[in-house]
Amino acid sequence: MKRLAVSRCLFLGCIIAAAIGGCNDRPASSPMVSVSGAVTGMTGSAVLQNNGGDSLTVAANGPFSFSMPIDVGGTYLVTVKTQPAGQTCTVSNGSGTAGTVNVTDVALACVTNTQTLGGAVSGLNGNLVLQYNGGSPLTITANGVFVFGAPTAEASPYEVTVRTQPAHQTCTVAHGLGIVGAADITTIVVTCITNAFTVGGAISGLTGSVVLQNNGVDTQLLSTDGTFAFPMPVREGSPYLVTVKTQPAGQTCSVANGAGAMGAVRVTSVVVVCAANTYTIGGSVSGLTGTVALQNDGADSQTINVDGAFQFAAPLAQGGTYSVTIQAQPVAQTCTVVNGSGIVGAANISNVVVTCATNAFTVGGTVSGLSGTLTLGNNGTDLLAISTDGSFTFSTSVAEGSNYNVTAQTQPTGQTCAVSNGSGVMGGTNVANVGVICATANTTISVSSTGVIPVNGASGSLTVTNTGTTYAALNVSAILPGGWTSVTQDSSSCPSIAPNGGTCTLLFTSTKPYVADGNIAINGDNITSSPTSALAFSIDDYLVFSVPNSTTALVVASSDAGISGPWSMDLVDIPGTTETSTAPPCNGGSDGSCDTAEIVAHYGTPYSDYAAGLCYEITADNSGAVALGTWYLPAVCEIGSSGEGAGCPTGIPNIDANLVQPGFMAQLGLGGPSGLYWTASEYSGMPDQGAWIQVFVPGGGSQQAGSKNGNSIRTRCARAIGY
């Protein structure tokens, strides 16, 4: 009923009733309580309401109280109608049913609103440091979105700035200044660009047009002196290189300070200096033996005393003329100039050729008494064949001041020609007084029967004796086999051998061994019959009997390995070691090394009990220590020749044909071999009981025969040796 009375009062004119104090929302006797509380954190002002009305403006922290009380038992609901600027306030203990005492515990807590600041970075190439309002820095290393870590109070001003720029870049901030609103700031834009500056400088001395270039692409055409700058800037930290792309006509421009790395300001220090082109005049001198004086254009002189390049001191301008002449000739020479004049072009002149030749004169004379063909030589090289009496002249002139020496290089058959006035020093005229008188003057010679040439060692020698009684033997030498290319002959002591037993020595050295040759002819200019000798080769004082390849020679021992002994210790056929066997395992007739290995493999030790073992067990020789098996018992065709009994093929180098028969073994004081010697080849007629032997007969008549294995026969060993 009370609520109905209040409603009617309001309906009928609450305003009038209020004016006379007779209208109210409750009976005067109803109990009432107030609603109040406290505010904390407030920085502005807020409007509170209770039960949707009774608005209360609160502008400071502390207690507050609504003006309108509420009935005991009634409800209350405190809400925030209007929040303070930049804050959010929340109500606690703000609703409930009123009791009999005032409500005093409503709490209003206000906090300031905050938003994050951020945006996006583009173009960054390094490390960028941002900050806002001078606060904590934010380091950014990549393009994209960024957000500052600390939020900012709503309604606060903000300003984002670049604290540290990235190296070689400049970053600018857009939308970085404002007031924080009610939402996060995401619109800040940071744009970075790489710093770039122009390259330029100054040019001087230019009389035409020059094209400069920077870094091979940016060009600049200049036609006057002054400052310049290339149009394309260069990024900070990047290199720049200024060069001349096209030189001006008749000038050369050079660049200074034209290279470097771009810094933080534009480059203005490039210096280009242009000057008229000048070029040197020069060339080369050859054949000079004294001093020649050259001159250019009748003024610039140059004295030269050695062959090689020369250059006049004064350069000439491009387009000028030059003329190089001989100012003074060298003593005893005449120099000529080629390419000595012309117009100076765009390069140094370096093709002037000065050729000097020593003044030379001919050598000649007369020949008389000639009945064949005579070969004269001047200084041992200029040869002249003469077949009739009369005057002669050598084709090659002799330099003034040089020696000439005319000799008979090849005497006519059956004659000896003597030379008079044949030597001297060339003067300033031709020599025409050389006399050559020819007369019959043959003689005979003899020579040592054998000689040995140590490979890569001392000389081997043959002694030649003039057995004639009247005339000297002239220009004696040995005629060596054509294949002995590594043998050097020294016949310098044999140009003339006195009659009645006069001698000379032919010396021989060699860097390679060859198979001995028993038919070495010895000849001379006036020798009626050429005797022959035999030459062999030795390595480490062992005679070479075969040269199977370009690095290996086969040598024979200097003495027997055993005075006498058996071939084997029992009667057995060792496969592959007969004179008719072929590989595998051995070429029994010609490969003693293989035969020896097969024999030793069968009999083993003691090696001294059989012939092959005596060779196999040798561990030291003239070369020093050697391995077991270095030495071996030669096969039958390595010891003897074809036609001696074992059916050896012709052409196989062997000890008998190459060393024993020519007498080399005896020459070295080896005393043989002579008599019976074992070979490493079994006798195919009875391989289990017999082996081939070599019967050496020095001087001829050597034979091969089969012998019982148990017979006591001599042993001579061989080995392969490198050279």
Side-chain angles (χ1 to χ4, degrees):
M1 291 299 291
K2 290 190 289 182
R3 295 300 179 191
L4 182 60
V6 172
S7 298
R8 184 179 295 117
C9 178
L10 292 172
F11 181 77
L12 292 179
C14 184
I15 297 175
I16 299 173
I20 60 175
C23 182
N24 207 327
D25 61 349
R26 61 177 180 81
S29 60
S30 176
M32 302 287 287
V33 293
S34 63
V35 178
S36 63
V39 177
T40 59
M42 177 76 73
T43 60
S45 64
V47 177
L48 304 181
Q49 281 187 329
N50 183 24
N51 290 326
D54 194 10
S55 296
L56 174 64
T57 298
V58 180
N61 293 322
F64 68 86
S65 177
F66 286 97
S67 60
M68 295 179 62
I70 62 173
D71 295 330
V72 173
T75 61
Y76 59 94
L77 175 61
V78 178
T79 59
V80 179
K81 179 181 181 181
T82 304
Q83 295 283 2
Q87 286 195 301
T88 298
C89 299
T90 56
V91 179
S92 59
N93 303 322
S95 63
T97 301
T100 59
V101 295
N102 293 329
V103 177
T104 61
D105 61 346
V106 178
L108 180 65
C110 300
V111 294
T112 300
N113 297 334
T114 60
Q115 311 296 340
T116 59
L117 292 180
V121 175
S122 64
L124 179 62
N125 183 20
N127 293 334
L128 166 68
V129 180
L130 300 177
Q131 68 179 13
Y132 76 93
N133 296 344
S136 299
L138 172 64
T139 299
I140 302 172
T141 60
N143 293 320
V145 175
F146 69 91
V147 177
F148 283 98
T152 301
E154 185 177 334
S156 298
Y158 66 90
E159 181 180 8
V160 176
T161 58
V162 176
R163 177 174 179 177
T164 305
Q165 296 282 5
H168 308 311
Q169 285 195 304
T170 298
C171 299
T172 57
V173 179
H175 311 304
L177 182 66
I179 303 296
V180 178
D184 292 339
I185 304 298
T186 61
T187 57
I188 300 171
V189 176
V190 181
T191 304
C192 300
I193 59 172
T194 301
N195 301 332
F197 305 95
T198 58
V199 176
I203 186 169
S204 62
L206 181 63
T207 60
S209 294
V210 64
V211 178
L212 303 181
Q213 196 171 51
N214 184 27
N215 290 332
V217 292
D218 191 10
T219 58
Q220 179 82 311
L221 173 64
L222 303 176
S223 299
T224 59
D225 287 348
T227 60
F228 67 90
F230 287 95
M232 295 174 57
V234 176
R235 291 185 174 186
E236 183 178 348
S238 296
Y240 62 89
L241 175 62
V242 178
T243 56
V244 177
K245 181 180 181 182
T246 305
Q247 295 284 2
Q251 284 194 302
T252 297
C253 298
S254 57
V255 179
N257 305 326
M262 180 58 70
V265 295
R266 64 192 181 98
V267 173
T268 60
S269 58
V270 179
V271 176
V272 181
V273 178
C274 302
N277 295 336
T278 60
Y279 299 99
T280 58
I281 309 299
S284 62
V285 175
S286 63
L288 182 63
T289 60
T291 299
V292 63
L294 304 179
Q295 197 172 57
N296 184 26
D297 287 339
D300 190 8
S301 296
Q302 176 86 302
T303 299
I304 303 171
N305 53 27
V306 293
D307 284 348
F310 72 90
Q311 180 177 288
F312 287 98
L316 298 180
Q318 184 176 350
T321 61
Y322 64 95
S323 178
V324 178
T325 57
I326 304 295
Q327 185 180 22
Q329 295 283 2
V331 175
Q333 283 196 302
T334 299
C335 299
T336 57
V337 179
V338 178
N339 303 325
S341 61
I343 297 175
V344 179
N348 292 330
I349 303 298
S350 60
N351 66 337
V352 179
V353 177
V354 179
T355 303
C356 301
T358 301
N359 300 331
F361 302 94
T362 59
V363 175
T366 58
V367 175
S368 62
L370 181 63
S371 62
T373 298
L374 164 69
T375 301
L376 297 179
N378 184 21
N379 293 327
T381 55
D382 189 12
L383 302 182
L384 177 63
I386 303 173
S387 301
T388 59
D389 287 348
S391 62
F392 67 89
T393 301
F394 286 97
S395 59
T396 302
S397 300
V398 176
E400 182 179 351
S402 297
N403 293 326
Y404 63 92
N405 183 25
V406 179
T407 57
Q409 297 292 304
T410 303
Q411 296 283 359
T413 303
Q415 283 192 307
T416 297
C417 298
V419 179
S420 60
N421 302 321
S423 62
V425 177
M426 181 59 70
T429 60
N430 294 331
V431 173
N433 66 337
V434 178
V436 181
I437 300 176
C438 300
T440 300
N442 291 336
T443 189
T444 58
I445 58 173
S446 64
V447 65
S448 306
S449 60
T450 60
V452 177
I453 305 173
V455 177
N456 290 318
S459 300
S461 64
L462 293 176
T463 300
V464 181
T465 302
N466 187 349
T467 57
T469 59
T470 305
Y471 300 106
L474 303 176
N475 299 317
V476 174
S477 64
I479 302 175
L480 299 177
W484 287 12
T485 57
S486 295
V487 178
T488 300
Q489 176 181 189
D490 180 3
S491 60
S492 60
S493 69
C494 300
S496 179
I497 308 174
N500 291 314
T503 63
C504 74
T505 302
L506 299 174
L507 299 176
F508 307 91
T509 57
S510 183
T511 58
K512 292 183 179 180
Y514 298 93
V515 174
D517 192 311
N519 194 31
I520 306 295
I522 311 300
N523 202 359
D525 290 345
N526 60 336
I527 306 304
T528 57
S529 178
S530 299
T532 60
S533 181
L535 284 174
F537 296 81
S538 67
I539 301 177
D540 289 338
D541 291 332
Y542 297 120
L543 286 171
V544 174
F545 69 88
S546 177
V547 184
N549 56 57
S550 61
T551 60
T552 306
L554 302 183
V555 300
V556 63
S558 303
S559 60
D560 295 340
I563 300 300
S564 62
W567 190 88
S568 65
M569 297 183 294
D570 55 20
L571 301 179
V572 66
D573 179 9
I574 299 175
T577 63
T578 66
E579 80 280 10
T580 58
S581 63
T582 58
C586 303
N587 288 309
S590 60
D591 191 353
S593 177
C594 180
D595 293 344
T596 298
E598 294 298 309
I599 296 168
V600 170
H602 176 76
Y603 288 118
T605 56
Y607 301 124
S608 58
D609 286 352
Y610 53 97
L614 290 173
C615 295
Y616 184 86
E617 70 177 351
I618 295 173
T619 57
D621 61 19
N622 294 343
S623 66
V626 297
L628 280 172
T630 298
W631 289 86
Y632 65 89
L633 183 61
V636 63
C637 296
E638 290 179 294
I639 286 185
S641 303
S642 62
E644 291 185 352
C648 294
T650 59
I652 298 179
N654 61 83
I655 296 170
D656 185 49
N658 293 335
L659 300 179
V660 175
Q661 296 310 322
F664 290 114
M665 309 292 280
Q667 176 189 349
L668 295 180
L670 306 180
S674 178
L676 308 182
Y677 282 84
W678 283 119
T679 77
S681 306
E682 289 184 323
Y683 177 52
S684 60
M686 49 177 187
D688 58 336
Q689 301 181 38
W692 283 100
I693 63 171
Q694 178 72 31
V695 183
F696 287 113
V697 181
S702 295
Q703 295 293 321
Q704 295 163 331
S707 176
K708 291 285 189 178
N709 291 349
N711 290 336
S712 292
I713 295 175
R714 294 175 183 268
T715 298
R716 181 69 66 97
C717 305
R719 68 163 289 188
I721 192 167
Y723 62 88

